[in-house]
Amino acid sequence: MLRALLLYFSQARWARRLVTQWGFARRAASRFVAGETLGEALDAIAVLNRRGMHATLDHLGEHVDHAEAARAATQDYLEILERICSSGVRSNASLKLTQLGLALDYELCLGNLRQIVRKASTCGIFVRIDMEDSPTVDRTLAICHELQSEGLANVGVVIQAYLYRSQADVASLAINGTRIRLCKGAYMEPAAVAFPKKSEVDNSYDRLASMLIDAALRHGSEPSSPDGRVPALAAIATHDPKRIDFARQYAERVGLPRPALEFQMLYGIRSDLQQLLADEGYPVRVYVPYGSEWYPYYVRRLAERPANLWWFLKNLVRG
């Protein structure tokens, strides 16, 4: 119930207008958001790199309501790619298609993403398409497939374990070696399309993780690149120790080398676990978001872990 309420707040415009006026909320969000400028985000990535980790850089934003905003977001990502290239940080990029105009016009979004992925290919940078709510899945996968059919292999997607369809999607994507980030899912979905129980989501996650590991073996156990720009085919994105342990044990059992199994986690969450995995020889990639559009991202993080919400409320009362 609490999670559903927070996910509603994450999309409610009135709640965004209210909360973003609170100075404390902006400061609290900085726990999970690496600043409002690209320079601040690159500085945060440099720190992660020194600790032996890669990053994926995300300029926060979603659901733009006019074409000019989608084109502006495209230009922002072209600048991000330039700065990754020039700075030498070990990072690639992640983005949401509704930020590039998916809800406005399919062809507009496809053209914007094509510009970004072509630019990224000149620097050998991989671009990850974040998955959003279930009504966007088919169009997201279609756009990824379209770009791959044009010879752009440096693009991949996220699959969400709580959706019933994800097993079939992973099986289809794995055939041609699409690089997949596996997460549990962070949107409010009806029981008609998503597993309602945590235990069911966990079981689905482990099934999909084993499918990704098997696919990585079939495609030659390609490791994450040393420069941090290209992830391994199998990217396990979770902070759940049980899911991580399952993936590690399954990979060891079937013979997938550690450099070919990438773990991905969010900026500001379980830094201790990130460091532990990196020290064990696994590639670890931290999802580093930045920008002024922090509100929906931050509220989804509160929904994922109630302890984050109580910390927020306690400090709000203190002022």
Side-chain angles (χ1 to χ4, degrees), residues 59-96:
H59 185 210
L60 291 171
E62 53 194 85
H63 294 291
V64 300
D65 55 11
H66 55 278
E68 290 75 14
R71 295 188 184 99
T74 301
Q75 292 303 312
D76 288 338
Y77 267 95
L78 295 176
E79 180 185 359
I80 285 170
L81 296 170
E82 286 279 3
R83 294 287 296 277
I84 291 175
C85 285
S86 63
S87 68
V89 294
R90 300 201 308 275
S91 182
N92 55 34
S94 294
L95 49 77
K96 289 181 171 59

PDB file of all heavy atoms in Angstrom, residues 59-96:
ATOM      1  N   HIS A  59      21.116  11.534 -17.461  1.00  0.00           N
ATOM      2  CA  HIS A  59      20.601  12.886 -17.274  1.00  0.00           C
ATOM      3  C   HIS A  59      19.115  12.770 -16.975  1.00  0.00           C
ATOM      4  O   HIS A  59      18.324  12.437 -17.856  1.00  0.00           O
ATOM      5  CB  HIS A  59      20.840  13.736 -18.518  1.00  0.00           C
ATOM      6  CG  HIS A  59      20.444  15.156 -18.350  1.00  0.00           C
ATOM      7  ND1 HIS A  59      19.990  15.941 -19.382  1.00  0.00           N
ATOM      8  CD2 HIS A  59      20.402  15.949 -17.246  1.00  0.00           C
ATOM      9  CE1 HIS A  59      19.714  17.147 -18.936  1.00  0.00           C
ATOM     10  NE2 HIS A  59      19.948  17.170 -17.643  1.00  0.00           N
ATOM     11  N   LEU A  60      18.716  13.039 -15.759  1.00  0.00           N
ATOM     12  CA  LEU A  60      17.350  12.792 -15.315  1.00  0.00           C
ATOM     13  C   LEU A  60      16.336  13.581 -16.145  1.00  0.00           C
ATOM     14  O   LEU A  60      16.536  14.752 -16.454  1.00  0.00           O
ATOM     15  CB  LEU A  60      17.201  13.158 -13.839  1.00  0.00           C
ATOM     16  CG  LEU A  60      17.938  12.235 -12.865  1.00  0.00           C
ATOM     17  CD1 LEU A  60      17.912  12.827 -11.460  1.00  0.00           C
ATOM     18  CD2 LEU A  60      17.332  10.837 -12.873  1.00  0.00           C
ATOM     19  N   GLY A  61      15.241  12.906 -16.455  1.00  0.00           N
ATOM     20  CA  GLY A  61      14.166  13.519 -17.219  1.00  0.00           C
ATOM     21  C   GLY A  61      13.325  12.441 -17.864  1.00  0.00           C
ATOM     22  O   GLY A  61      13.832  11.375 -18.239  1.00  0.00           O
ATOM     23  N   GLU A  62      12.031  12.699 -17.997  1.00  0.00           N
ATOM     24  CA  GLU A  62      11.121  11.738 -18.608  1.00  0.00           C
ATOM     25  C   GLU A  62       9.817  12.442 -18.955  1.00  0.00           C
ATOM     26  O   GLU A  62       9.523  13.526 -18.449  1.00  0.00           O
ATOM     27  CB  GLU A  62      10.852  10.562 -17.659  1.00  0.00           C
ATOM     28  CG  GLU A  62      10.382  10.970 -16.270  1.00  0.00           C
ATOM     29  CD  GLU A  62      10.460   9.834 -15.259  1.00  0.00           C
ATOM     30  OE1 GLU A  62      11.536   9.628 -14.677  1.00  0.00           O
ATOM     31  OE2 GLU A  62       9.427   9.160 -15.076  1.00  0.00           O
ATOM     32  N   HIS A  63       9.052  11.829 -19.853  1.00  0.00           N
ATOM     33  CA  HIS A  63       7.715  12.309 -20.205  1.00  0.00           C
ATOM     34  C   HIS A  63       7.710  13.783 -20.618  1.00  0.00           C
ATOM     35  O   HIS A  63       6.944  14.587 -20.074  1.00  0.00           O
ATOM     36  CB  HIS A  63       6.740  12.077 -19.051  1.00  0.00           C
ATOM     37  CG  HIS A  63       6.484  10.627 -18.777  1.00  0.00           C
ATOM     38  ND1 HIS A  63       5.778   9.813 -19.645  1.00  0.00           N
ATOM     39  CD2 HIS A  63       6.885   9.826 -17.748  1.00  0.00           C
ATOM     40  CE1 HIS A  63       5.736   8.586 -19.143  1.00  0.00           C
ATOM     41  NE2 HIS A  63       6.405   8.569 -18.007  1.00  0.00           N
ATOM     42  N   VAL A  64       8.568  14.146 -21.574  1.00  0.00           N
ATOM     43  CA  VAL A  64       8.523  15.512 -22.092  1.00  0.00           C
ATOM     44  C   VAL A  64       7.203  15.727 -22.825  1.00  0.00           C
ATOM     45  O   VAL A  64       6.606  14.789 -23.360  1.00  0.00           O
ATOM     46  CB  VAL A  64       9.710  15.809 -23.029  1.00  0.00           C
ATOM     47  CG1 VAL A  64      11.033  15.631 -22.300  1.00  0.00           C
ATOM     48  CG2 VAL A  64       9.671  14.924 -24.269  1.00  0.00           C
ATOM     49  N   ASP A  65       6.724  16.979 -22.844  1.00  0.00           N
ATOM     50  CA  ASP A  65       5.403  17.239 -23.422  1.00  0.00           C
ATOM     51  C   ASP A  65       5.445  18.041 -24.713  1.00  0.00           C
ATOM     52  O   ASP A  65       4.409  18.443 -25.221  1.00  0.00           O
ATOM     53  CB  ASP A  65       4.496  17.935 -22.392  1.00  0.00           C
ATOM     54  CG  ASP A  65       5.110  19.197 -21.829  1.00  0.00           C
ATOM     55  OD1 ASP A  65       6.139  19.662 -22.365  1.00  0.00           O
ATOM     56  OD2 ASP A  65       4.552  19.729 -20.851  1.00  0.00           O
ATOM     57  N   HIS A  66       6.636  18.286 -25.270  1.00  0.00           N
ATOM     58  CA  HIS A  66       6.710  18.908 -26.583  1.00  0.00           C
ATOM     59  C   HIS A  66       8.020  18.525 -27.271  1.00  0.00           C
ATOM     60  O   HIS A  66       9.004  18.154 -26.616  1.00  0.00           O
ATOM     61  CB  HIS A  66       6.566  20.432 -26.511  1.00  0.00           C
ATOM     62  CG  HIS A  66       7.543  21.095 -25.595  1.00  0.00           C
ATOM     63  ND1 HIS A  66       7.358  21.172 -24.228  1.00  0.00           N
ATOM     64  CD2 HIS A  66       8.725  21.723 -25.856  1.00  0.00           C
ATOM     65  CE1 HIS A  66       8.383  21.815 -23.686  1.00  0.00           C
ATOM     66  NE2 HIS A  66       9.215  22.148 -24.642  1.00  0.00           N
ATOM     67  N   ALA A  67       8.017  18.595 -28.582  1.00  0.00           N
ATOM     68  CA  ALA A  67       9.136  18.100 -29.381  1.00  0.00           C
ATOM     69  C   ALA A  67      10.425  18.859 -29.098  1.00  0.00           C
ATOM     70  O   ALA A  67      11.517  18.280 -29.149  1.00  0.00           O
ATOM     71  CB  ALA A  67       8.791  18.178 -30.867  1.00  0.00           C
ATOM     72  N   GLU A  68      10.306  20.154 -28.805  1.00  0.00           N
ATOM     73  CA  GLU A  68      11.508  20.951 -28.552  1.00  0.00           C
ATOM     74  C   GLU A  68      12.256  20.432 -27.320  1.00  0.00           C
ATOM     75  O   GLU A  68      13.487  20.400 -27.290  1.00  0.00           O
ATOM     76  CB  GLU A  68      11.143  22.426 -28.358  1.00  0.00           C
ATOM     77  CG  GLU A  68      10.676  23.128 -29.626  1.00  0.00           C
ATOM     78  CD  GLU A  68       9.259  22.743 -30.025  1.00  0.00           C
ATOM     79  OE1 GLU A  68       8.527  22.134 -29.190  1.00  0.00           O
ATOM     80  OE2 GLU A  68       8.868  23.035 -31.167  1.00  0.00           O
ATOM     81  N   ALA A  69      11.501  20.007 -26.291  1.00  0.00           N
ATOM     82  CA  ALA A  69      12.145  19.461 -25.095  1.00  0.00           C
ATOM     83  C   ALA A  69      12.848  18.148 -25.408  1.00  0.00           C
ATOM     84  O   ALA A  69      13.932  17.862 -24.883  1.00  0.00           O
ATOM     85  CB  ALA A  69      11.108  19.265 -23.997  1.00  0.00           C
ATOM     86  N   ALA A  70      12.250  17.335 -26.272  1.00  0.00           N
ATOM     87  CA  ALA A  70      12.883  16.072 -26.663  1.00  0.00           C
ATOM     88  C   ALA A  70      14.179  16.330 -27.427  1.00  0.00           C
ATOM     89  O   ALA A  70      15.179  15.634 -27.231  1.00  0.00           O
ATOM     90  CB  ALA A  70      11.912  15.253 -27.508  1.00  0.00           C
ATOM     91  N   ARG A  71      14.160  17.329 -28.297  1.00  0.00           N
ATOM     92  CA  ARG A  71      15.380  17.660 -29.053  1.00  0.00           C
ATOM     93  C   ARG A  71      16.444  18.242 -28.125  1.00  0.00           C
ATOM     94  O   ARG A  71      17.641  17.982 -28.299  1.00  0.00           O
ATOM     95  CB  ARG A  71      15.041  18.630 -30.178  1.00  0.00           C
ATOM     96  CG  ARG A  71      14.121  18.028 -31.247  1.00  0.00           C
ATOM     97  CD  ARG A  71      13.966  18.946 -32.447  1.00  0.00           C
ATOM     98  NE  ARG A  71      13.003  18.398 -33.405  1.00  0.00           N
ATOM     99  CZ  ARG A  71      11.725  18.777 -33.489  1.00  0.00           C
ATOM    100  NH1 ARG A  71      11.273  19.759 -32.709  1.00  0.00           N
ATOM    101  NH2 ARG A  71      10.915  18.216 -34.365  1.00  0.00           N
ATOM    102  N   ALA A  72      16.020  19.036 -27.132  1.00  0.00           N
ATOM    103  CA  ALA A  72      16.977  19.586 -26.173  1.00  0.00           C
ATOM    104  C   ALA A  72      17.629  18.465 -25.367  1.00  0.00           C
ATOM    105  O   ALA A  72      18.841  18.491 -25.111  1.00  0.00           O
ATOM    106  CB  ALA A  72      16.281  20.574 -25.242  1.00  0.00           C
ATOM    107  N   ALA A  73      16.833  17.459 -24.967  1.00  0.00           N
ATOM    108  CA  ALA A  73      17.393  16.323 -24.238  1.00  0.00           C
ATOM    109  C   ALA A  73      18.392  15.561 -25.100  1.00  0.00           C
ATOM    110  O   ALA A  73      19.425  15.083 -24.610  1.00  0.00           O
ATOM    111  CB  ALA A  73      16.272  15.391 -23.779  1.00  0.00           C
ATOM    112  N   THR A  74      18.099  15.457 -26.387  1.00  0.00           N
ATOM    113  CA  THR A  74      19.028  14.801 -27.311  1.00  0.00           C
ATOM    114  C   THR A  74      20.360  15.535 -27.349  1.00  0.00           C
ATOM    115  O   THR A  74      21.428  14.916 -27.289  1.00  0.00           O
ATOM    116  CB  THR A  74      18.411  14.743 -28.718  1.00  0.00           C
ATOM    117  OG1 THR A  74      17.178  14.025 -28.654  1.00  0.00           O
ATOM    118  CG2 THR A  74      19.353  14.056 -29.702  1.00  0.00           C
ATOM    119  N   GLN A  75      20.304  16.846 -27.437  1.00  0.00           N
ATOM    120  CA  GLN A  75      21.532  17.631 -27.437  1.00  0.00           C
ATOM    121  C   GLN A  75      22.293  17.469 -26.121  1.00  0.00           C
ATOM    122  O   GLN A  75      23.529  17.423 -26.115  1.00  0.00           O
ATOM    123  CB  GLN A  75      21.206  19.109 -27.689  1.00  0.00           C
ATOM    124  CG  GLN A  75      20.703  19.402 -29.086  1.00  0.00           C
ATOM    125  CD  GLN A  75      21.678  18.960 -30.163  1.00  0.00           C
ATOM    126  OE1 GLN A  75      22.879  19.247 -30.093  1.00  0.00           O
ATOM    127  NE2 GLN A  75      21.165  18.245 -31.159  1.00  0.00           N
ATOM    128  N   ASP A  76      21.570  17.376 -25.017  1.00  0.00           N
ATOM    129  CA  ASP A  76      22.224  17.150 -23.725  1.00  0.00           C
ATOM    130  C   ASP A  76      23.003  15.841 -23.751  1.00  0.00           C
ATOM    131  O   ASP A  76      24.141  15.766 -23.248  1.00  0.00           O
ATOM    132  CB  ASP A  76      21.190  17.108 -22.605  1.00  0.00           C
ATOM    133  CG  ASP A  76      20.588  18.473 -22.286  1.00  0.00           C
ATOM    134  OD1 ASP A  76      21.235  19.494 -22.605  1.00  0.00           O
ATOM    135  OD2 ASP A  76      19.476  18.519 -21.719  1.00  0.00           O
ATOM    136  N   TYR A  77      22.416  14.803 -24.340  1.00  0.00           N
ATOM    137  CA  TYR A  77      23.110  13.514 -24.383  1.00  0.00           C
ATOM    138  C   TYR A  77      24.291  13.531 -25.343  1.00  0.00           C
ATOM    139  O   TYR A  77      25.320  12.875 -25.089  1.00  0.00           O
ATOM    140  CB  TYR A  77      22.138  12.382 -24.710  1.00  0.00           C
ATOM    141  CG  TYR A  77      21.594  11.764 -23.446  1.00  0.00           C
ATOM    142  CD1 TYR A  77      20.382  12.172 -22.911  1.00  0.00           C
ATOM    143  CD2 TYR A  77      22.323  10.811 -22.745  1.00  0.00           C
ATOM    144  CE1 TYR A  77      19.902  11.635 -21.723  1.00  0.00           C
ATOM    145  CE2 TYR A  77      21.857  10.272 -21.566  1.00  0.00           C
ATOM    146  CZ  TYR A  77      20.650  10.692 -21.055  1.00  0.00           C
ATOM    147  OH  TYR A  77      20.201  10.169 -19.868  1.00  0.00           O
ATOM    148  N   LEU A  78      24.197  14.280 -26.405  1.00  0.00           N
ATOM    149  CA  LEU A  78      25.356  14.410 -27.292  1.00  0.00           C
ATOM    150  C   LEU A  78      26.518  15.085 -26.557  1.00  0.00           C
ATOM    151  O   LEU A  78      27.681  14.704 -26.732  1.00  0.00           O
ATOM    152  CB  LEU A  78      24.963  15.204 -28.540  1.00  0.00           C
ATOM    153  CG  LEU A  78      23.929  14.525 -29.453  1.00  0.00           C
ATOM    154  CD1 LEU A  78      23.554  15.448 -30.599  1.00  0.00           C
ATOM    155  CD2 LEU A  78      24.439  13.190 -29.983  1.00  0.00           C
ATOM    156  N   GLU A  79      26.184  16.056 -25.696  1.00  0.00           N
ATOM    157  CA  GLU A  79      27.234  16.698 -24.883  1.00  0.00           C
ATOM    158  C   GLU A  79      27.794  15.716 -23.865  1.00  0.00           C
ATOM    159  O   GLU A  79      29.018  15.679 -23.622  1.00  0.00           O
ATOM    160  CB  GLU A  79      26.684  17.926 -24.168  1.00  0.00           C
ATOM    161  CG  GLU A  79      27.741  18.627 -23.312  1.00  0.00           C
ATOM    162  CD  GLU A  79      27.199  19.775 -22.485  1.00  0.00           C
ATOM    163  OE1 GLU A  79      25.986  20.067 -22.570  1.00  0.00           O
ATOM    164  OE2 GLU A  79      27.997  20.374 -21.746  1.00  0.00           O
ATOM    165  N   ILE A  80      26.931  14.917 -23.249  1.00  0.00           N
ATOM    166  CA  ILE A  80      27.395  13.911 -22.290  1.00  0.00           C
ATOM    167  C   ILE A  80      28.422  12.992 -22.945  1.00  0.00           C
ATOM    168  O   ILE A  80      29.490  12.701 -22.377  1.00  0.00           O
ATOM    169  CB  ILE A  80      26.200  13.091 -21.767  1.00  0.00           C
ATOM    170  CG1 ILE A  80      25.394  13.915 -20.765  1.00  0.00           C
ATOM    171  CG2 ILE A  80      26.661  11.778 -21.126  1.00  0.00           C
ATOM    172  CD1 ILE A  80      24.069  13.288 -20.378  1.00  0.00           C
ATOM    173  N   LEU A  81      28.126  12.537 -24.145  1.00  0.00           N
ATOM    174  CA  LEU A  81      29.043  11.633 -24.842  1.00  0.00           C
ATOM    175  C   LEU A  81      30.367  12.314 -25.145  1.00  0.00           C
ATOM    176  O   LEU A  81      31.441  11.707 -25.009  1.00  0.00           O
ATOM    177  CB  LEU A  81      28.382  11.119 -26.116  1.00  0.00           C
ATOM    178  CG  LEU A  81      27.125  10.269 -25.891  1.00  0.00           C
ATOM    179  CD1 LEU A  81      26.400  10.023 -27.204  1.00  0.00           C
ATOM    180  CD2 LEU A  81      27.471   8.942 -25.211  1.00  0.00           C
ATOM    181  N   GLU A  82      30.308  13.577 -25.555  1.00  0.00           N
ATOM    182  CA  GLU A  82      31.540  14.347 -25.798  1.00  0.00           C
ATOM    183  C   GLU A  82      32.382  14.404 -24.534  1.00  0.00           C
ATOM    184  O   GLU A  82      33.607  14.217 -24.572  1.00  0.00           O
ATOM    185  CB  GLU A  82      31.192  15.760 -26.254  1.00  0.00           C
ATOM    186  CG  GLU A  82      30.680  15.862 -27.676  1.00  0.00           C
ATOM    187  CD  GLU A  82      31.806  15.853 -28.702  1.00  0.00           C
ATOM    188  OE1 GLU A  82      32.979  15.711 -28.312  1.00  0.00           O
ATOM    189  OE2 GLU A  82      31.491  15.973 -29.904  1.00  0.00           O
ATOM    190  N   ARG A  83      31.722  14.669 -23.391  1.00  0.00           N
ATOM    191  CA  ARG A  83      32.466  14.828 -22.147  1.00  0.00           C
ATOM    192  C   ARG A  83      33.022  13.497 -21.643  1.00  0.00           C
ATOM    193  O   ARG A  83      34.118  13.459 -21.066  1.00  0.00           O
ATOM    194  CB  ARG A  83      31.567  15.471 -21.086  1.00  0.00           C
ATOM    195  CG  ARG A  83      31.153  16.908 -21.392  1.00  0.00           C
ATOM    196  CD  ARG A  83      32.322  17.882 -21.201  1.00  0.00           C
ATOM    197  NE  ARG A  83      32.757  17.936 -19.830  1.00  0.00           N
ATOM    198  CZ  ARG A  83      32.179  18.685 -18.883  1.00  0.00           C
ATOM    199  NH1 ARG A  83      31.128  19.443 -19.196  1.00  0.00           N
ATOM    200  NH2 ARG A  83      32.640  18.695 -17.646  1.00  0.00           N
ATOM    201  N   ILE A  84      32.287  12.405 -21.845  1.00  0.00           N
ATOM    202  CA  ILE A  84      32.836  11.100 -21.475  1.00  0.00           C
ATOM    203  C   ILE A  84      34.093  10.832 -22.293  1.00  0.00           C
ATOM    204  O   ILE A  84      35.121  10.381 -21.763  1.00  0.00           O
ATOM    205  CB  ILE A  84      31.789   9.988 -21.674  1.00  0.00           C
ATOM    206  CG1 ILE A  84      30.662  10.109 -20.654  1.00  0.00           C
ATOM    207  CG2 ILE A  84      32.447   8.609 -21.555  1.00  0.00           C
ATOM    208  CD1 ILE A  84      29.517   9.119 -20.866  1.00  0.00           C
ATOM    209  N   CYS A  85      34.004  11.118 -23.591  1.00  0.00           N
ATOM    210  CA  CYS A  85      35.161  10.893 -24.467  1.00  0.00           C
ATOM    211  C   CYS A  85      36.353  11.733 -24.042  1.00  0.00           C
ATOM    212  O   CYS A  85      37.475  11.237 -23.943  1.00  0.00           O
ATOM    213  CB  CYS A  85      34.787  11.219 -25.909  1.00  0.00           C
ATOM    214  SG  CYS A  85      33.759   9.985 -26.711  1.00  0.00           S
ATOM    215  N   SER A  86      36.122  13.023 -23.812  1.00  0.00           N
ATOM    216  CA  SER A  86      37.231  13.942 -23.542  1.00  0.00           C
ATOM    217  C   SER A  86      37.810  13.770 -22.141  1.00  0.00           C
ATOM    218  O   SER A  86      39.007  13.953 -21.931  1.00  0.00           O
ATOM    219  CB  SER A  86      36.782  15.386 -23.746  1.00  0.00           C
ATOM    220  OG  SER A  86      35.762  15.746 -22.833  1.00  0.00           O
ATOM    221  N   SER A  87      36.970  13.391 -21.176  1.00  0.00           N
ATOM    222  CA  SER A  87      37.441  13.282 -19.789  1.00  0.00           C
ATOM    223  C   SER A  87      38.123  11.957 -19.512  1.00  0.00           C
ATOM    224  O   SER A  87      38.940  11.850 -18.594  1.00  0.00           O
ATOM    225  CB  SER A  87      36.267  13.456 -18.818  1.00  0.00           C
ATOM    226  OG  SER A  87      35.367  12.367 -18.918  1.00  0.00           O
ATOM    227  N   GLY A  88      37.752  10.918 -20.277  1.00  0.00           N
ATOM    228  CA  GLY A  88      38.350   9.609 -20.066  1.00  0.00           C
ATOM    229  C   GLY A  88      37.772   8.830 -18.903  1.00  0.00           C
ATOM    230  O   GLY A  88      38.335   7.799 -18.518  1.00  0.00           O
ATOM    231  N   VAL A  89      36.664   9.284 -18.309  1.00  0.00           N
ATOM    232  CA  VAL A  89      36.068   8.516 -17.226  1.00  0.00           C
ATOM    233  C   VAL A  89      35.558   7.188 -17.758  1.00  0.00           C
ATOM    234  O   VAL A  89      35.216   7.053 -18.936  1.00  0.00           O
ATOM    235  CB  VAL A  89      34.907   9.289 -16.552  1.00  0.00           C
ATOM    236  CG1 VAL A  89      35.426  10.536 -15.854  1.00  0.00           C
ATOM    237  CG2 VAL A  89      33.809   9.627 -17.534  1.00  0.00           C
ATOM    238  N   ARG A  90      35.533   6.201 -16.888  1.00  0.00           N
ATOM    239  CA  ARG A  90      35.068   4.868 -17.261  1.00  0.00           C
ATOM    240  C   ARG A  90      33.550   4.825 -17.088  1.00  0.00           C
ATOM    241  O   ARG A  90      33.038   4.511 -16.011  1.00  0.00           O
ATOM    242  CB  ARG A  90      35.766   3.796 -16.425  1.00  0.00           C
ATOM    243  CG  ARG A  90      37.281   3.787 -16.588  1.00  0.00           C
ATOM    244  CD  ARG A  90      37.909   2.470 -16.181  1.00  0.00           C
ATOM    245  NE  ARG A  90      37.512   2.023 -14.864  1.00  0.00           N
ATOM    246  CZ  ARG A  90      38.081   2.397 -13.717  1.00  0.00           C
ATOM    247  NH1 ARG A  90      39.082   3.285 -13.745  1.00  0.00           N
ATOM    248  NH2 ARG A  90      37.667   1.913 -12.567  1.00  0.00           N
ATOM    249  N   SER A  91      32.844   5.167 -18.155  1.00  0.00           N
ATOM    250  CA  SER A  91      31.397   5.279 -18.074  1.00  0.00           C
ATOM    251  C   SER A  91      30.776   5.064 -19.444  1.00  0.00           C
ATOM    252  O   SER A  91      31.418   5.248 -20.477  1.00  0.00           O
ATOM    253  CB  SER A  91      30.997   6.668 -17.548  1.00  0.00           C
ATOM    254  OG  SER A  91      29.596   6.801 -17.420  1.00  0.00           O
ATOM    255  N   ASN A  92      29.502   4.683 -19.432  1.00  0.00           N
ATOM    256  CA  ASN A  92      28.678   4.765 -20.625  1.00  0.00           C
ATOM    257  C   ASN A  92      27.447   5.598 -20.286  1.00  0.00           C
ATOM    258  O   ASN A  92      27.502   6.402 -19.338  1.00  0.00           O
ATOM    259  CB  ASN A  92      28.345   3.372 -21.181  1.00  0.00           C
ATOM    260  CG  ASN A  92      27.695   2.451 -20.169  1.00  0.00           C
ATOM    261  OD1 ASN A  92      26.931   2.883 -19.304  1.00  0.00           O
ATOM    262  ND2 ASN A  92      27.992   1.166 -20.262  1.00  0.00           N
ATOM    263  N   ALA A  93      26.349   5.457 -21.020  1.00  0.00           N
ATOM    264  CA  ALA A  93      25.195   6.327 -20.804  1.00  0.00           C
ATOM    265  C   ALA A  93      23.906   5.524 -20.755  1.00  0.00           C
ATOM    266  O   ALA A  93      23.766   4.500 -21.428  1.00  0.00           O
ATOM    267  CB  ALA A  93      25.110   7.380 -21.906  1.00  0.00           C
ATOM    268  N   SER A  94      22.953   6.004 -19.958  1.00  0.00           N
ATOM    269  CA  SER A  94      21.613   5.443 -19.882  1.00  0.00           C
ATOM    270  C   SER A  94      20.606   6.560 -20.121  1.00  0.00           C
ATOM    271  O   SER A  94      20.854   7.714 -19.766  1.00  0.00           O
ATOM    272  CB  SER A  94      21.353   4.819 -18.505  1.00  0.00           C
ATOM    273  OG  SER A  94      22.161   3.702 -18.268  1.00  0.00           O
ATOM    274  N   LEU A  95      19.453   6.207 -20.682  1.00  0.00           N
ATOM    275  CA  LEU A  95      18.434   7.233 -20.959  1.00  0.00           C
ATOM    276  C   LEU A  95      17.052   6.611 -21.018  1.00  0.00           C
ATOM    277  O   LEU A  95      16.894   5.409 -21.140  1.00  0.00           O
ATOM    278  CB  LEU A  95      18.751   7.953 -22.271  1.00  0.00           C
ATOM    279  CG  LEU A  95      19.073   7.107 -23.511  1.00  0.00           C
ATOM    280  CD1 LEU A  95      17.823   6.521 -24.128  1.00  0.00           C
ATOM    281  CD2 LEU A  95      19.807   7.947 -24.547  1.00  0.00           C
ATOM    282  N   LYS A  96      16.041   7.477 -20.920  1.00  0.00           N
ATOM    283  CA  LYS A  96      14.643   7.058 -21.023  1.00  0.00           C
ATOM    284  C   LYS A  96      14.059   7.582 -22.326  1.00  0.00           C
ATOM    285  O   LYS A  96      14.259   8.745 -22.686  1.00  0.00           O
ATOM    286  CB  LYS A  96      13.840   7.576 -19.832  1.00  0.00           C
ATOM    287  CG  LYS A  96      14.177   6.889 -18.517  1.00  0.00           C
ATOM    288  CD  LYS A  96      13.328   7.445 -17.389  1.00  0.00           C
ATOM    289  CE  LYS A  96      13.518   6.592 -16.126  1.00  0.00           C
ATOM    290  NZ  LYS A  96      14.907   6.547 -15.682  1.00  0.00           N
TER     291      LYS A  96
END
